[in-house]
Amino acid sequence: MKEIKKVVLAYSGGLDTSIIIPWLKENYNNCEVIAVSGDVGQGTELDGLEEKAIKTGASKLYIMDLKDEFVKDYIFPTLKAGAVYENDYLLGTSFARPLIAMRLVEIAKKEGADAICHGCTGKGNDQVRFELAIKAFAPDMQIIAPWRIWSIKSREEEIEYAEAHNIPLKINRETNYSKDKNLWHLSHEGLDLEDPANEPQYNKPGFLEIGKSPEQASDKPTYVKIHFEKGIPTAVDGKEMGGVELVEYLNKIGGENGIGLCDLVENRLVGMKSRGLYENPAGSILYRAHQVLETICLDRDTAHYKALVAQRFAELVYFGQWFTPLREALSAFVDKTQETVTGDVTLKLYKGNMINAGVTSPYTLYSEEFATFDADEVYNQKDSAGFINLFGLPIKVKAILDAEREGK
């Protein structure tokens, strides 16, 4: 292993990466540390980041605006797939990591860095997501993961290290939730949430950041109409929007109506279960609307098979396997299924609920003439008898033969 003289650090300015800068310099012969932040919609979390990084020992800070790419190349392909991990998690952290890691590699190569460092713990999924992406684009790059080698064992000890090194923090011991925020979602982990028996403090001031609890939401429903083109949302209430603007707008509307709160005990890739609370208003609205549109645009066999693909797609994203041949192949399948997923879906948002309020598509496969309970001229109900006889033939034959065997 060659000597480490220059390190590119995935830098968020949070607790972990704030203390990693001085730790790297202490443990790698005062190496140069270049901090890199990927802006995937953290908002005000990026304020003052450069000053903080420099003061704590970094030689420079790159802030990359990745929001458009994040939505276009990661969020929307996953939305089109209908991929949801373990029925609830909309993969907000999962698909942000490969994008950031890919850009880390680009900067590491540009700067001639000897290693890339991340602040992920040895218990989490993010270490896998970062490192698999790094391997995809820089297979020989050294990776430093302090949580796997340093003597610090807890977030409490991290805070003590920060205080000893005069590193300013935006958290304290009482509000020390582990959070991850981007354009798509906000996750909360740790403290009282580590016990699944504890109800989340939705109504506690400052706990929720994107939206409100259902109890605090408006007493009047909000109707929202979303237009899709080939599975991609392009307009809300008749106004065309770019991807970033559309997600931000739906986060605002959904948040005000208590939409998108998810309390989940999930199975991590490394094997343990963990409990997290997610705020995902825009994602919840878009997934629901997309699902509704597909009910009239996809034929039965395609819809049922796509559901199987969606589960595997979600696992690939969650496991950090974005840059793999299988994920690319599944995306190609998904794109084919979305060729006719165009139309409008109206949802009624009310105190955490999303209620279907109408769906139309120029490619609909729903025919009122065939489906009606009233008199029609297109369907001969007598045909169903022969269909049932053929469809049920295996059951009938087995029953006959079983009876003969029992009679012997």
Side-chain angles (χ1 to χ4, degrees), residues 12-28:
S12 68
L15 177 58
D16 295 322
T17 57
S18 292
I19 68 171
I20 283 176
I21 294 177
W23 181 88
L24 283 170
K25 298 181 78 67
E26 288 174 359
N27 289 273
Y28 289 90

mmCIF file of all heavy atoms in Angstrom, residues 12-28:
data_model
loop_
_atom_site.group_PDB
_atom_site.id
_atom_site.type_symbol
_atom_site.label_atom_id
_atom_site.label_comp_id
_atom_site.label_asym_id
_atom_site.label_seq_id
_atom_site.Cartn_x
_atom_site.Cartn_y
_atom_site.Cartn_z
ATOM 1 N N SER A 12 -19.916 16.039 4.423
ATOM 2 C CA SER A 12 -21.253 16.584 4.587
ATOM 3 C C SER A 12 -21.287 17.729 5.588
ATOM 4 O O SER A 12 -22.247 18.502 5.626
ATOM 5 C CB SER A 12 -22.218 15.489 5.063
ATOM 6 O OG SER A 12 -21.896 15.080 6.388
ATOM 7 N N GLY A 13 -20.255 17.813 6.419
ATOM 8 C CA GLY A 13 -20.254 18.806 7.482
ATOM 9 C C GLY A 13 -20.975 18.328 8.725
ATOM 10 O O GLY A 13 -21.089 19.061 9.710
ATOM 11 N N GLY A 14 -21.460 17.091 8.684
ATOM 12 C CA GLY A 14 -22.110 16.510 9.855
ATOM 13 C C GLY A 14 -21.083 16.035 10.866
ATOM 14 O O GLY A 14 -19.871 16.240 10.714
ATOM 15 N N LEU A 15 -21.562 15.346 11.885
ATOM 16 C CA LEU A 15 -20.687 14.936 12.982
ATOM 17 C C LEU A 15 -19.530 14.066 12.506
ATOM 18 O O LEU A 15 -18.367 14.324 12.804
ATOM 19 C CB LEU A 15 -21.511 14.187 14.036
ATOM 20 C CG LEU A 15 -20.747 13.615 15.231
ATOM 21 C CD1 LEU A 15 -20.001 14.708 15.967
ATOM 22 C CD2 LEU A 15 -21.697 12.887 16.167
ATOM 23 N N ASP A 16 -19.831 13.021 11.731
ATOM 24 C CA ASP A 16 -18.792 12.073 11.322
ATOM 25 C C ASP A 16 -17.690 12.754 10.512
ATOM 26 O O ASP A 16 -16.507 12.672 10.857
ATOM 27 C CB ASP A 16 -19.401 10.935 10.492
ATOM 28 C CG ASP A 16 -20.367 10.080 11.298
ATOM 29 O OD1 ASP A 16 -20.087 9.843 12.478
ATOM 30 O OD2 ASP A 16 -21.386 9.650 10.735
ATOM 31 N N THR A 17 -18.086 13.391 9.418
ATOM 32 C CA THR A 17 -17.064 13.947 8.523
ATOM 33 C C THR A 17 -16.387 15.185 9.107
ATOM 34 O O THR A 17 -15.267 15.520 8.701
ATOM 35 C CB THR A 17 -17.657 14.267 7.141
ATOM 36 O OG1 THR A 17 -18.753 15.173 7.273
ATOM 37 C CG2 THR A 17 -18.137 12.999 6.463
ATOM 38 N N SER A 18 -17.027 15.854 10.046
ATOM 39 C CA SER A 18 -16.399 17.020 10.675
ATOM 40 C C SER A 18 -15.160 16.623 11.461
ATOM 41 O O SER A 18 -14.139 17.335 11.444
ATOM 42 C CB SER A 18 -17.392 17.731 11.600
ATOM 43 O OG SER A 18 -18.428 18.334 10.863
ATOM 44 N N ILE A 19 -15.229 15.488 12.136
ATOM 45 C CA ILE A 19 -14.063 15.084 12.930
ATOM 46 C C ILE A 19 -13.072 14.261 12.117
ATOM 47 O O ILE A 19 -11.927 14.078 12.530
ATOM 48 C CB ILE A 19 -14.478 14.304 14.199
ATOM 49 C CG1 ILE A 19 -15.083 12.946 13.836
ATOM 50 C CG2 ILE A 19 -15.456 15.119 15.034
ATOM 51 C CD1 ILE A 19 -15.296 12.051 15.049
ATOM 52 N N ILE A 20 -13.505 13.764 10.950
ATOM 53 C CA ILE A 20 -12.604 12.938 10.144
ATOM 54 C C ILE A 20 -11.449 13.762 9.580
ATOM 55 O O ILE A 20 -10.328 13.258 9.450
ATOM 56 C CB ILE A 20 -13.389 12.233 9.013
ATOM 57 C CG1 ILE A 20 -14.156 11.042 9.598
ATOM 58 C CG2 ILE A 20 -12.467 11.765 7.903
ATOM 59 C CD1 ILE A 20 -15.040 10.334 8.596
ATOM 60 N N ILE A 21 -11.687 15.036 9.246
ATOM 61 C CA ILE A 21 -10.604 15.850 8.673
ATOM 62 C C ILE A 21 -9.405 15.911 9.616
ATOM 63 O O ILE A 21 -8.290 15.537 9.221
ATOM 64 C CB ILE A 21 -11.104 17.254 8.296
ATOM 65 C CG1 ILE A 21 -12.117 17.162 7.154
ATOM 66 C CG2 ILE A 21 -9.916 18.140 7.892
ATOM 67 C CD1 ILE A 21 -12.723 18.500 6.760
ATOM 68 N N PRO A 22 -9.562 16.355 10.874
ATOM 69 C CA PRO A 22 -8.388 16.362 11.759
ATOM 70 C C PRO A 22 -7.872 14.959 12.062
ATOM 71 O O PRO A 22 -6.655 14.766 12.217
ATOM 72 C CB PRO A 22 -8.891 17.058 13.029
ATOM 73 C CG PRO A 22 -10.371 16.964 12.972
ATOM 74 C CD PRO A 22 -10.730 16.982 11.527
ATOM 75 N N TRP A 23 -8.766 13.984 12.102
ATOM 76 C CA TRP A 23 -8.329 12.605 12.372
ATOM 77 C C TRP A 23 -7.419 12.094 11.246
ATOM 78 O O TRP A 23 -6.408 11.451 11.504
ATOM 79 C CB TRP A 23 -9.548 11.696 12.530
ATOM 80 C CG TRP A 23 -9.180 10.266 12.838
ATOM 81 C CD1 TRP A 23 -8.969 9.727 14.078
ATOM 82 C CD2 TRP A 23 -8.954 9.217 11.889
ATOM 83 N NE1 TRP A 23 -8.622 8.400 13.966
ATOM 84 C CE2 TRP A 23 -8.605 8.057 12.630
ATOM 85 C CE3 TRP A 23 -8.995 9.145 10.507
ATOM 86 C CZ2 TRP A 23 -8.309 6.840 12.015
ATOM 87 C CZ3 TRP A 23 -8.701 7.925 9.892
ATOM 88 C CH2 TRP A 23 -8.364 6.799 10.636
ATOM 89 N N LEU A 24 -7.781 12.376 10.009
ATOM 90 C CA LEU A 24 -6.940 11.963 8.881
ATOM 91 C C LEU A 24 -5.555 12.602 8.965
ATOM 92 O O LEU A 24 -4.528 11.944 8.755
ATOM 93 C CB LEU A 24 -7.602 12.351 7.558
ATOM 94 C CG LEU A 24 -8.764 11.488 7.077
ATOM 95 C CD1 LEU A 24 -9.455 12.157 5.883
ATOM 96 C CD2 LEU A 24 -8.305 10.082 6.712
ATOM 97 N N LYS A 25 -5.519 13.882 9.289
ATOM 98 C CA LYS A 25 -4.232 14.580 9.346
ATOM 99 C C LYS A 25 -3.380 14.051 10.501
ATOM 100 O O LYS A 25 -2.149 13.961 10.383
ATOM 101 C CB LYS A 25 -4.467 16.087 9.457
ATOM 102 C CG LYS A 25 -5.210 16.672 8.254
ATOM 103 C CD LYS A 25 -5.415 18.166 8.355
ATOM 104 C CE LYS A 25 -4.144 18.913 8.005
ATOM 105 N NZ LYS A 25 -3.771 18.767 6.588
ATOM 106 N N GLU A 26 -4.022 13.672 11.594
ATOM 107 C CA GLU A 26 -3.288 13.131 12.736
ATOM 108 C C GLU A 26 -2.741 11.734 12.454
ATOM 109 O O GLU A 26 -1.673 11.363 12.948
ATOM 110 C CB GLU A 26 -4.209 13.066 13.970
ATOM 111 C CG GLU A 26 -4.537 14.413 14.576
ATOM 112 C CD GLU A 26 -5.568 14.291 15.699
ATOM 113 O OE1 GLU A 26 -6.017 13.150 15.963
ATOM 114 O OE2 GLU A 26 -5.915 15.316 16.298
ATOM 115 N N ASN A 27 -3.459 10.951 11.676
ATOM 116 C CA ASN A 27 -3.120 9.540 11.499
ATOM 117 C C ASN A 27 -2.438 9.213 10.176
ATOM 118 O O ASN A 27 -1.968 8.081 9.991
ATOM 119 C CB ASN A 27 -4.377 8.689 11.655
ATOM 120 C CG ASN A 27 -4.866 8.626 13.084
ATOM 121 O OD1 ASN A 27 -4.440 7.780 13.858
ATOM 122 N ND2 ASN A 27 -5.758 9.560 13.443
ATOM 123 N N TYR A 28 -2.387 10.175 9.260
ATOM 124 C CA TYR A 28 -1.734 9.932 7.975
ATOM 125 C C TYR A 28 -0.706 11.021 7.669
ATOM 126 O O TYR A 28 -0.683 11.587 6.586
ATOM 127 C CB TYR A 28 -2.782 9.838 6.857
ATOM 128 C CG TYR A 28 -3.611 8.570 6.950
ATOM 129 C CD1 TYR A 28 -4.793 8.560 7.685
ATOM 130 C CD2 TYR A 28 -3.204 7.392 6.328
ATOM 131 C CE1 TYR A 28 -5.552 7.402 7.791
ATOM 132 C CE2 TYR A 28 -3.962 6.231 6.430
ATOM 133 C CZ TYR A 28 -5.130 6.240 7.166
ATOM 134 O OH TYR A 28 -5.876 5.088 7.279
#
